[in-house]
Amino acid sequence: MSKPDELLVSLAAKVESEHTSQMSLTVVAQGAVITGRLAPETLWRQRVAEVLGDSEHLGTFAPVFEGAGQPARAATAPSYLHFHVARILQGALGIPETGGMYRIAIEDVNAWTVGDFSYSDH
């Protein structure tokens, strides 16, 4: 979308202000269908930092996602969706099976719906 959907921006702002990670959403962005739960950016960053920090090879990247060193943000409309426990739907499969963490620019979302789509991992 050349101009981000105001309703989607409002939904993302509500997730941020309520600090909730229970909102299920499915989006189409750049031809990919991604389904999962939205998370506040701070929670998403924290979880990515934890996963990287636990990795022998990627641990040095964890500080990039940690809150320290991040500029203070004014109360502005969010420009990204932060998904966790999310999957990219490819046919009848959800990739990865365990769910992943994705950051998607709201302006790149072509279509969306509340809720997550069913998928089969068989």
Side-chain angles (χ1 to χ4, degrees), residues 1-2 12 18 23 26 45 57 59 71 90 99 108-109 112 121:
M1 295 181 172
S2 59
E18 297 287 324
M23 184 68 209
T26 299
R45 284 177 174 270
H57 302 289
Q90 182 69 35
D108 290 340
V109 174
W112 61 277
D121 52 1

Side-chain angles (χ1 to χ4, degrees), residues 12-119:
K14 187 73 168 171
V15 167
E16 291 292 333
S17 69
E18 297 287 324
H19 204 72
T20 180
S21 60
Q22 298 302 309
M23 184 68 209
S24 294
L25 193 71
T26 299
V27 300
V28 177
Q30 309 255 340
V33 178
I34 300 164
T35 190
R37 287 189 289 162
L38 292 179
E41 182 176 1
T42 54
L43 180 68
W44 183 86
R45 284 177 174 270
Q46 177 184 1
R47 184 66 186 124
V48 172
E50 289 171 2
V51 170
L52 292 174
D54 290 343
S55 170
E56 180 180 334
H57 302 289
L58 301 174
T60 58
F61 293 98
V64 172
F65 293 91
E66 293 171 348
Q70 294 298 322
R73 292 186 170 211
T76 60
S79 54
Y80 289 90
L81 299 172
H82 295 88
F83 282 89
H84 73 120
V85 193
R87 291 166 182 83
I88 297 174
L89 299 182
Q90 182 69 35
L93 296 176
I95 306 167
E97 289 182 22
T98 58
M101 294 172 283
Y102 301 99
R103 176 178 162 113
I104 301 165
I106 293 174
E107 67 183 15
D108 290 340
V109 174
N110 302 103
W112 61 277
T113 187
V114 172
D116 52 358
F117 286 161
S118 296
Y119 65 93

